[in-house]
Amino acid sequence: MNRQIRLKSRPAGMPAADNFEAVDSPMPALEDGDVLRRTTYLSLDPYMRGRMSDAASYAASLNLHDIMCGHTVSEVVESRNPAFRAGDMVTGYDGWQEFAVSKGKDLRKLDPRAVPVSTAIGVLGMPGATAYVGLLDIGQPKPGETVVVSAASGAVGSIVGQLAKVKGCRAVGIAGSPDKCRYVVEELGFDACINYKTDDLVPALGAACPGGADIYFENVGGKVFAAVLRVINRGARIPLCGMISQYNTTTDPGGPNLRALLVQRAMMKGFIVSDHADRFPAFLQEVTPLVRDGRIKYREDIVEGLDAAPSALIGLFEGRNFGKMLVRVSADPTRG
Ligand code: NDP
């Protein structure tokens, strides 16, 4: 049987366990040209909250009882397609299920000898590409500038700050616990990190950014955004990547005072990484060696088994994850 987790009902506010249903479906049958794979890792990402809702957004909502969507790393178990062999490791978008079948056009082969395969859905996958496009293309960092990033210990934020350092900038993170802040500074090499839950944000930002902020990579929205706007410099750039503090709100959260954009002639630009697929080869070419050499570090937070996925997804909105949130759906054949 093929275990799947599907959308049972739409959340009102924070998702809950009963919005999901586990279903044991028959194994998919293979036809000529098909590739059958077993999911090794499933990526859990904040955007999944939007797909569970029926509110209009940049991508279509899931229908009720659809399999939950998501990027995956998988092992080919049977192939009737000459381009793939049993044992190949691939990345695709198979969603929350143990097995999937397709003609393989949606798959990219991975080289387990180059980097751990799980990176294909983390630092070297969609989250890493988001950091790359948002920081480099929209943020346009110049050496000596100060880059502030929120959700700094997370999948996207951790790469933003490290890329900022690679580009010769000062990197200031904002995160939600002392452990996360310590990790961001001591392990990832940011210059400073502010705990938005305990620090007085505006003075802390002033101290961490003595010359102000030239780029604010926005991941969370709300009071953090409002505070960073108080320290932006003239000509600042704000890649508007995510607003996770608002994904589960049921009432109008209000908003920051955008007057600073006007006064500082700042630019704010929303972006969705999937619109920038043409940048993916450049991203992989530039960032893969940095990951391989350890100049860009990453941390994974892995839960075991598909049934743990709903709770782990909810944890993203509570800051329970520490690093890229992944589910190990089955044993990783490339790791001993
Ligand atoms: P993370 O790995 O950063 O995990 C989410 C983190 O967000 C949590 O660990 C928590 O960290 C923080 N968080 C959760 N709730 C709140 C809150 N109410 N206020 C402030 N912080 C909160 O996730 P990702 O790196 O995958 O995603 C980061 C952001 O990037 C999200 O907004 C996401 O939607 C966005 N994104 C956008 C893309 C695009 O194409 N535009 C593509 C990919 C991601 P802490 O403990 O520090 O609070």
Side-chain angles (χ1 to χ4, degrees):
M1 300 300 275
N2 178 20
R3 193 160 183 83
Q4 303 172 328
I5 296 188
R6 301 178 179 215
L7 177 64
K8 183 176 169 198
S9 56
R10 301 197 188 279
M14 186 69 97
D18 62 5
N19 296 132
F20 304 89
E21 61 190 354
V23 176
D24 288 316
S25 290
M27 282 292 287
L30 259 71
E31 296 170 4
D32 266 1
D34 278 348
V35 185
L36 173 71
R37 61 265 179 189
R38 178 193 294 118
T39 309
T40 310
Y41 296 104
L42 164 69
S43 173
L44 298 179
D45 299 275
Y47 75 83
M48 292 169 176
R49 175 62 181 82
R51 301 290 202 282
M52 296 174 76
S53 152
D54 57 7
S57 187
Y58 60 89
S61 310
L62 291 168
N63 293 314
L64 290 180
H65 310 295
D66 279 354
I67 301 169
M68 287 289 297
C69 55
H71 288 100
T72 46
V73 167
S74 313
E75 178 188 9
V76 173
V77 288
E78 190 181 341
S79 176
R80 297 202 192 158
N81 179 326
F84 296 90
R85 286 192 312 197
D88 283 347
M89 297 301 297
V90 295
T91 185
Y93 198 70
D94 292 344
W96 298 26
Q97 56 179 341
E98 284 178 334
F99 293 92
V101 89
S102 72
K103 301 288 179 210
K105 289 202 171 61
D106 49 339
L107 302 177
R108 180 166 62 89
K109 268 200 222 182
L110 301 173
D111 177 2
R113 291 161 307 178
V115 280
V117 289
S118 57
T119 58
I121 49 175
V123 58
L124 294 174
M126 185 278 282
T130 301
Y132 185 85
V133 167
L135 180 67
L136 302 191
D137 295 1
I138 299 173
Q140 304 269 336
K142 289 165 210 58
E145 288 191 327
T146 295
V147 176
V148 176
V149 56
S150 45
S153 73
V156 174
S158 63
I159 312 307
V160 170
Q162 293 182 89
L163 277 176
K165 293 302 293 178
V166 168
K167 299 293 172 188
C169 299
R170 178 175 173 78
V172 175
I174 303 174
S177 76
D179 278 354
K180 288 183 175 181
C181 282
R182 211 168 12 251
Y183 166 73
V184 160
V185 173
E186 292 176 10
E187 299 283 323
L188 303 184
F190 285 43
D191 297 282
C193 186
I194 294 163
N195 182 338
Y196 71 90
K197 291 185 180 159
T198 54
D199 291 341
D200 195 353
L201 275 173
V202 176
L205 280 162
C209 310
D214 301 294
I215 297 176
Y216 174 46
F217 193 105
E218 167 64 313
N219 281 325
V220 307
K223 69 168 192 172
V224 173
F225 189 16
V228 182
L229 285 179
R230 303 272 296 273
V231 300
I232 59 169
N233 285 337
R234 183 167 296 186
R237 287 81 67 200
I238 304 177
L240 190 55
C241 175
M243 305 192 99
I244 196 169
S245 72
Q246 298 177 13
Y247 295 175
N248 297 298
T249 47
T250 49
T251 52
D252 180 356
N257 185 345
L258 297 181
R259 183 170 173 272
L261 293 185
L262 170 70
V263 174
Q264 299 295 13
R265 294 79 149 175
M267 187 211 62
M268 177 162 76
K269 181 167 164 48
F271 74 101
I272 299 294
V273 64
S274 48
D275 296 339
H276 301 267
D278 59 316
R279 295 287 283 147
F280 202 76
F283 154 67
L284 278 186
Q285 193 178 6
E286 186 169 349
V287 180
T288 304
L290 297 173
V291 172
R292 212 187 288 136
D293 300 348
R295 285 186 68 199
I296 287 196
K297 302 197 176 91
Y298 62 96
R299 179 177 176 128
E300 297 171 334
D301 188 341
I302 304 181
V303 296
E304 299 293 336
L306 197 55
D307 289 355
S311 163
L313 178 67
I314 294 164
L316 287 176
F317 306 108
E318 296 172 339
R320 267 193 277 128
N321 67 305
F322 191 165
K324 176 70 197 98
M325 191 71 242
L326 299 176
V327 180
R328 188 164 17 234
V329 179
S330 63
D332 179 347
T334 67
R335 287 193 201 179

